[in-house]
PDB file of all heavy atoms in Angstrom:
ATOM      1  N   GLY T  46      63.878  82.877  23.664  1.00 89.00           N
ATOM      2  CA  GLY T  46      64.708  82.000  24.482  1.00 89.00           C
ATOM      3  C   GLY T  46      65.788  82.722  25.265  1.00 89.00           C
ATOM      4  O   GLY T  46      66.545  82.105  26.008  1.00 89.00           O
ATOM      5  N   ALA T  47      65.865  84.035  25.131  1.00 92.00           N
ATOM      6  CA  ALA T  47      66.875  84.837  25.834  1.00 92.00           C
ATOM      7  C   ALA T  47      66.322  85.328  27.170  1.00 92.00           C
ATOM      8  O   ALA T  47      65.115  85.486  27.337  1.00 92.00           O
ATOM      9  CB  ALA T  47      67.278  86.029  24.974  1.00 92.00           C
ATOM     10  N   PRO T  48      67.219  85.596  28.127  1.00 95.00           N
ATOM     11  CA  PRO T  48      66.763  86.169  29.398  1.00 95.00           C
ATOM     12  C   PRO T  48      66.341  87.620  29.203  1.00 95.00           C
ATOM     13  O   PRO T  48      66.592  88.201  28.143  1.00 95.00           O
ATOM     14  CB  PRO T  48      68.012  86.078  30.286  1.00 95.00           C
ATOM     15  CG  PRO T  48      69.156  86.072  29.340  1.00 95.00           C
ATOM     16  CD  PRO T  48      68.662  85.385  28.098  1.00 95.00           C
ATOM     17  N   PRO T  49      65.719  88.222  30.216  1.00 94.00           N
ATOM     18  CA  PRO T  49      65.335  89.632  30.109  1.00 94.00           C
ATOM     19  C   PRO T  49      66.565  90.504  29.835  1.00 94.00           C
ATOM     20  O   PRO T  49      67.680  90.154  30.210  1.00 94.00           O
ATOM     21  CB  PRO T  49      64.753  89.972  31.480  1.00 94.00           C
ATOM     22  CG  PRO T  49      64.462  88.671  32.124  1.00 94.00           C
ATOM     23  CD  PRO T  49      65.378  87.662  31.521  1.00 94.00           C
ATOM     24  N   GLN T  50      66.340  91.638  29.195  1.00 95.00           N
ATOM     25  CA  GLN T  50      67.434  92.574  28.911  1.00 95.00           C
ATOM     26  C   GLN T  50      68.090  93.055  30.209  1.00 95.00           C
ATOM     27  O   GLN T  50      69.303  93.205  30.274  1.00 95.00           O
ATOM     28  CB  GLN T  50      66.892  93.768  28.119  1.00 95.00           C
ATOM     29  CG  GLN T  50      67.948  94.691  27.577  1.00 95.00           C
ATOM     30  CD  GLN T  50      68.761  94.079  26.456  1.00 95.00           C
ATOM     31  OE1 GLN T  50      68.341  93.130  25.816  1.00 95.00           O
ATOM     32  NE2 GLN T  50      69.937  94.602  26.235  1.00 95.00           N
ATOM     33  N   ARG T  51      67.276  93.304  31.242  1.00 94.00           N
ATOM     34  CA  ARG T  51      67.776  93.751  32.547  1.00 94.00           C
ATOM     35  C   ARG T  51      67.140  92.898  33.639  1.00 94.00           C
ATOM     36  O   ARG T  51      66.004  92.461  33.509  1.00 94.00           O
ATOM     37  CB  ARG T  51      67.442  95.215  32.797  1.00 94.00           C
ATOM     38  CG  ARG T  51      68.184  96.128  31.889  1.00 94.00           C
ATOM     39  CD  ARG T  51      67.870  97.550  32.192  1.00 94.00           C
ATOM     40  NE  ARG T  51      68.909  98.396  31.619  1.00 94.00           N
ATOM     41  CZ  ARG T  51      69.108  99.631  31.955  1.00 94.00           C
ATOM     42  NH1 ARG T  51      68.344 100.198  32.855  1.00 94.00           N
ATOM     43  NH2 ARG T  51      70.060 100.321  31.390  1.00 94.00           N
ATOM     44  N   TRP T  52      67.891  92.700  34.719  1.00 91.00           N
ATOM     45  CA  TRP T  52      67.408  91.900  35.844  1.00 91.00           C
ATOM     46  C   TRP T  52      67.860  92.578  37.126  1.00 91.00           C
ATOM     47  O   TRP T  52      69.030  92.896  37.278  1.00 91.00           O
ATOM     48  CB  TRP T  52      67.990  90.493  35.756  1.00 91.00           C
ATOM     49  CG  TRP T  52      67.412  89.554  36.764  1.00 91.00           C
ATOM     50  CD1 TRP T  52      67.959  89.197  37.969  1.00 91.00           C
ATOM     51  CD2 TRP T  52      66.183  88.843  36.668  1.00 91.00           C
ATOM     52  NE1 TRP T  52      67.132  88.315  38.610  1.00 91.00           N
ATOM     53  CE2 TRP T  52      66.043  88.081  37.833  1.00 91.00           C
ATOM     54  CE3 TRP T  52      65.188  88.786  35.696  1.00 91.00           C
ATOM     55  CZ2 TRP T  52      64.942  87.267  38.052  1.00 91.00           C
ATOM     56  CZ3 TRP T  52      64.104  87.974  35.925  1.00 91.00           C
ATOM     57  CH2 TRP T  52      63.987  87.227  37.092  1.00 91.00           C
ATOM     58  N   ILE T  53      66.928  92.801  38.035  1.00 88.00           N
ATOM     59  CA  ILE T  53      67.275  93.371  39.335  1.00 88.00           C
ATOM     60  C   ILE T  53      67.412  92.226  40.320  1.00 88.00           C
ATOM     61  O   ILE T  53      66.471  91.470  40.548  1.00 88.00           O
ATOM     62  CB  ILE T  53      66.217  94.384  39.816  1.00 88.00           C
ATOM     63  CG1 ILE T  53      66.197  95.577  38.857  1.00 88.00           C
ATOM     64  CG2 ILE T  53      66.508  94.820  41.246  1.00 88.00           C
ATOM     65  CD1 ILE T  53      65.101  96.572  39.139  1.00 88.00           C
ATOM     66  N   MET T  54      68.600  92.087  40.862  1.00 83.00           N
ATOM     67  CA  MET T  54      68.903  91.017  41.820  1.00 83.00           C
ATOM     68  C   MET T  54      68.778  91.596  43.220  1.00 83.00           C
ATOM     69  O   MET T  54      69.417  92.594  43.547  1.00 83.00           O
ATOM     70  CB  MET T  54      70.330  90.509  41.591  1.00 83.00           C
ATOM     71  CG  MET T  54      70.829  89.568  42.654  1.00 83.00           C
ATOM     72  SD  MET T  54      69.976  87.996  42.692  1.00 83.00           S
ATOM     73  CE  MET T  54      70.534  87.277  41.174  1.00 83.00           C
ATOM     74  N   ARG T  55      67.940  90.957  43.991  1.00 77.00           N
ATOM     75  CA  ARG T  55      67.826  91.312  45.405  1.00 77.00           C
ATOM     76  C   ARG T  55      68.238  90.094  46.206  1.00 77.00           C
ATOM     77  O   ARG T  55      67.891  88.972  45.857  1.00 77.00           O
ATOM     78  CB  ARG T  55      66.395  91.699  45.757  1.00 77.00           C
ATOM     79  CG  ARG T  55      65.967  92.958  45.073  1.00 77.00           C
ATOM     80  CD  ARG T  55      64.583  93.376  45.495  1.00 77.00           C
ATOM     81  NE  ARG T  55      64.264  94.643  44.866  1.00 77.00           N
ATOM     82  CZ  ARG T  55      63.065  94.999  44.511  1.00 77.00           C
ATOM     83  NH1 ARG T  55      62.049  94.198  44.738  1.00 77.00           N
ATOM     84  NH2 ARG T  55      62.846  96.151  43.942  1.00 77.00           N
ATOM     85  N   HIS T  56      68.970  90.307  47.247  1.00 68.00           N
ATOM     86  CA  HIS T  56      69.357  89.236  48.158  1.00 68.00           C
ATOM     87  C   HIS T  56      70.127  88.103  47.476  1.00 68.00           C
ATOM     88  O   HIS T  56      69.726  86.952  47.551  1.00 68.00           O
ATOM     89  CB  HIS T  56      68.127  88.674  48.882  1.00 68.00           C
ATOM     90  CG  HIS T  56      67.246  89.732  49.448  1.00 68.00           C
ATOM     91  ND1 HIS T  56      67.628  90.516  50.498  1.00 68.00           N
ATOM     92  CD2 HIS T  56      66.012  90.165  49.080  1.00 68.00           C
ATOM     93  CE1 HIS T  56      66.673  91.380  50.769  1.00 68.00           C
ATOM     94  NE2 HIS T  56      65.690  91.195  49.924  1.00 68.00           N
ATOM     95  N   PRO T  57      71.241  88.423  46.790  1.00 66.00           N
ATOM     96  CA  PRO T  57      72.014  87.351  46.154  1.00 66.00           C
ATOM     97  C   PRO T  57      72.599  86.363  47.158  1.00 66.00           C
ATOM     98  O   PRO T  57      72.980  85.263  46.804  1.00 66.00           O
ATOM     99  CB  PRO T  57      73.118  88.100  45.404  1.00 66.00           C
ATOM    100  CG  PRO T  57      73.229  89.401  46.083  1.00 66.00           C
ATOM    101  CD  PRO T  57      71.851  89.721  46.602  1.00 66.00           C
ATOM    102  N   ASP T  58      72.619  86.767  48.436  1.00 65.00           N
ATOM    103  CA  ASP T  58      73.151  85.881  49.476  1.00 65.00           C
ATOM    104  C   ASP T  58      72.093  84.942  50.031  1.00 65.00           C
ATOM    105  O   ASP T  58      72.359  84.148  50.920  1.00 65.00           O
ATOM    106  CB  ASP T  58      73.767  86.694  50.604  1.00 65.00           C
ATOM    107  CG  ASP T  58      72.774  87.667  51.235  1.00 65.00           C
ATOM    108  OD1 ASP T  58      71.606  87.731  50.786  1.00 65.00           O
ATOM    109  OD2 ASP T  58      73.162  88.358  52.182  1.00 65.00           O
ATOM    110  N   GLY T  59      70.859  85.028  49.508  1.00 61.00           N
ATOM    111  CA  GLY T  59      69.809  84.108  49.921  1.00 61.00           C
ATOM    112  C   GLY T  59      69.106  84.478  51.208  1.00 61.00           C
ATOM    113  O   GLY T  59      68.414  83.655  51.791  1.00 61.00           O
ATOM    114  N   THR T  60      69.231  85.746  51.682  1.00 61.00           N
ATOM    115  CA  THR T  60      68.594  86.129  52.936  1.00 61.00           C
ATOM    116  C   THR T  60      67.079  86.247  52.819  1.00 61.00           C
ATOM    117  O   THR T  60      66.400  86.267  53.811  1.00 61.00           O
ATOM    118  CB  THR T  60      69.159  87.462  53.471  1.00 61.00           C
ATOM    119  OG1 THR T  60      68.988  88.463  52.471  1.00 61.00           O
ATOM    120  CG2 THR T  60      70.608  87.316  53.860  1.00 61.00           C
ATOM    121  N   GLY T  61      66.563  86.323  51.608  1.00 60.00           N
ATOM    122  CA  GLY T  61      65.119  86.315  51.422  1.00 60.00           C
ATOM    123  C   GLY T  61      64.497  87.683  51.345  1.00 60.00           C
ATOM    124  O   GLY T  61      65.122  88.683  51.647  1.00 60.00           O
ATOM    125  N   PRO T  62      63.237  87.734  50.938  1.00 60.00           N
ATOM    126  CA  PRO T  62      62.553  88.996  50.697  1.00 60.00           C
ATOM    127  C   PRO T  62      62.116  89.736  51.952  1.00 60.00           C
ATOM    128  O   PRO T  62      61.659  90.851  51.869  1.00 60.00           O
ATOM    129  CB  PRO T  62      61.335  88.572  49.878  1.00 60.00           C
ATOM    130  CG  PRO T  62      61.069  87.180  50.305  1.00 60.00           C
ATOM    131  CD  PRO T  62      62.434  86.581  50.585  1.00 60.00           C
ATOM    132  N   VAL T  63      62.257  89.130  53.123  1.00 60.00           N
ATOM    133  CA  VAL T  63      61.804  89.777  54.355  1.00 60.00           C
ATOM    134  C   VAL T  63      62.722  90.932  54.736  1.00 60.00           C
ATOM    135  O   VAL T  63      62.286  91.940  55.258  1.00 60.00           O
ATOM    136  CB  VAL T  63      61.741  88.742  55.506  1.00 60.00           C
ATOM    137  CG1 VAL T  63      61.367  89.411  56.807  1.00 60.00           C
ATOM    138  CG2 VAL T  63      60.747  87.655  55.160  1.00 60.00           C
ATOM    139  N   GLN T  64      64.012  90.795  54.442  1.00 66.00           N
ATOM    140  CA  GLN T  64      64.969  91.817  54.827  1.00 66.00           C
ATOM    141  C   GLN T  64      65.170  92.835  53.705  1.00 66.00           C
ATOM    142  O   GLN T  64      65.388  92.466  52.564  1.00 66.00           O
ATOM    143  CB  GLN T  64      66.305  91.165  55.177  1.00 66.00           C
ATOM    144  CG  GLN T  64      66.196  90.198  56.332  1.00 66.00           C
ATOM    145  CD  GLN T  64      67.515  89.517  56.611  1.00 66.00           C
ATOM    146  OE1 GLN T  64      68.542  89.888  56.091  1.00 66.00           O
ATOM    147  NE2 GLN T  64      67.474  88.497  57.449  1.00 66.00           N
ATOM    148  N   ALA T  65      65.076  94.108  54.051  1.00 70.00           N
ATOM    149  CA  ALA T  65      65.297  95.162  53.061  1.00 70.00           C
ATOM    150  C   ALA T  65      66.778  95.219  52.706  1.00 70.00           C
ATOM    151  O   ALA T  65      67.643  94.872  53.505  1.00 70.00           O
ATOM    152  CB  ALA T  65      64.853  96.495  53.642  1.00 70.00           C
ATOM    153  N   GLY T  66      67.054  95.661  51.500  1.00 75.00           N
ATOM    154  CA  GLY T  66      68.437  95.775  51.070  1.00 75.00           C
ATOM    155  C   GLY T  66      68.522  96.466  49.729  1.00 75.00           C
ATOM    156  O   GLY T  66      67.506  96.793  49.124  1.00 75.00           O
ATOM    157  N   PRO T  67      69.728  96.676  49.236  1.00 83.00           N
ATOM    158  CA  PRO T  67      69.898  97.357  47.953  1.00 83.00           C
ATOM    159  C   PRO T  67      69.506  96.471  46.780  1.00 83.00           C
ATOM    160  O   PRO T  67      69.388  95.261  46.912  1.00 83.00           O
ATOM    161  CB  PRO T  67      71.396  97.662  47.932  1.00 83.00           C
ATOM    162  CG  PRO T  67      72.005  96.609  48.786  1.00 83.00           C
ATOM    163  CD  PRO T  67      70.988  96.318  49.853  1.00 83.00           C
ATOM    164  N   ASP T  68      69.278  97.115  45.643  1.00 85.00           N
ATOM    165  CA  ASP T  68      68.960  96.428  44.397  1.00 85.00           C
ATOM    166  C   ASP T  68      70.203  96.423  43.521  1.00 85.00           C
ATOM    167  O   ASP T  68      70.850  97.457  43.348  1.00 85.00           O
ATOM    168  CB  ASP T  68      67.836  97.146  43.650  1.00 85.00           C
ATOM    169  CG  ASP T  68      66.523  97.140  44.404  1.00 85.00           C
ATOM    170  OD1 ASP T  68      66.315  96.200  45.200  1.00 85.00           O
ATOM    171  OD2 ASP T  68      65.719  98.055  44.196  1.00 85.00           O
ATOM    172  N   HIS T  69      70.530  95.283  42.946  1.00 89.00           N
ATOM    173  CA  HIS T  69      71.714  95.145  42.105  1.00 89.00           C
ATOM    174  C   HIS T  69      71.247  94.929  40.667  1.00 89.00           C
ATOM    175  O   HIS T  69      70.583  93.937  40.373  1.00 89.00           O
ATOM    176  CB  HIS T  69      72.570  93.969  42.574  1.00 89.00           C
ATOM    177  CG  HIS T  69      72.823  93.994  44.048  1.00 89.00           C
ATOM    178  ND1 HIS T  69      73.629  94.932  44.655  1.00 89.00           N
ATOM    179  CD2 HIS T  69      72.333  93.224  45.041  1.00 89.00           C
ATOM    180  CE1 HIS T  69      73.651  94.719  45.959  1.00 89.00           C
ATOM    181  NE2 HIS T  69      72.864  93.683  46.224  1.00 89.00           N
ATOM    182  N   LEU T  70      71.577  95.866  39.782  1.00 92.00           N
ATOM    183  CA  LEU T  70      71.134  95.809  38.396  1.00 92.00           C
ATOM    184  C   LEU T  70      72.148  95.044  37.551  1.00 92.00           C
ATOM    185  O   LEU T  70      73.347  95.323  37.580  1.00 92.00           O
ATOM    186  CB  LEU T  70      70.963  97.222  37.839  1.00 92.00           C
ATOM    187  CG  LEU T  70      70.576  97.317  36.362  1.00 92.00           C
ATOM    188  CD1 LEU T  70      69.214  96.674  36.110  1.00 92.00           C
ATOM    189  CD2 LEU T  70      70.588  98.762  35.905  1.00 92.00           C
ATOM    190  N   TYR T  71      71.633  94.075  36.787  1.00 94.00           N
ATOM    191  CA  TYR T  71      72.434  93.304  35.836  1.00 94.00           C
ATOM    192  C   TYR T  71      71.809  93.447  34.459  1.00 94.00           C
ATOM    193  O   TYR T  71      70.590  93.584  34.339  1.00 94.00           O
ATOM    194  CB  TYR T  71      72.472  91.824  36.235  1.00 94.00           C
ATOM    195  CG  TYR T  71      73.358  91.560  37.427  1.00 94.00           C
ATOM    196  CD1 TYR T  71      72.909  91.786  38.711  1.00 94.00           C
ATOM    197  CD2 TYR T  71      74.656  91.110  37.254  1.00 94.00           C
ATOM    198  CE1 TYR T  71      73.720  91.566  39.808  1.00 94.00           C
ATOM    199  CE2 TYR T  71      75.484  90.874  38.347  1.00 94.00           C
ATOM    200  CZ  TYR T  71      75.003  91.109  39.619  1.00 94.00           C
ATOM    201  OH  TYR T  71      75.821  90.887  40.696  1.00 94.00           O
ATOM    202  N   GLU T  72      72.645  93.414  33.409  1.00 96.00           N
ATOM    203  CA  GLU T  72      72.163  93.458  32.037  1.00 96.00           C
ATOM    204  C   GLU T  72      72.590  92.203  31.303  1.00 96.00           C
ATOM    205  O   GLU T  72      73.675  91.666  31.550  1.00 96.00           O
ATOM    206  CB  GLU T  72      72.712  94.677  31.299  1.00 96.00           C
ATOM    207  CG  GLU T  72      72.081  95.967  31.749  1.00 96.00           C
ATOM    208  CD  GLU T  72      72.532  97.158  30.912  1.00 96.00           C
ATOM    209  OE1 GLU T  72      73.549  97.062  30.192  1.00 96.00           O
ATOM    210  OE2 GLU T  72      71.855  98.192  30.996  1.00 96.00           O
TER     211      GLU T  72
END
Side-chain angles (χ1 to χ4, degrees):
Q50 189 70 20
R51 292 182 161 197
W52 187 262
I53 295 174
M54 171 67 69
R55 294 184 176 148
H56 312 291
D58 58 359
T60 57
V63 176
Q64 299 177 11
D68 296 333
H69 311 290
L70 177 63
Y71 286 81
E72 287 186 344

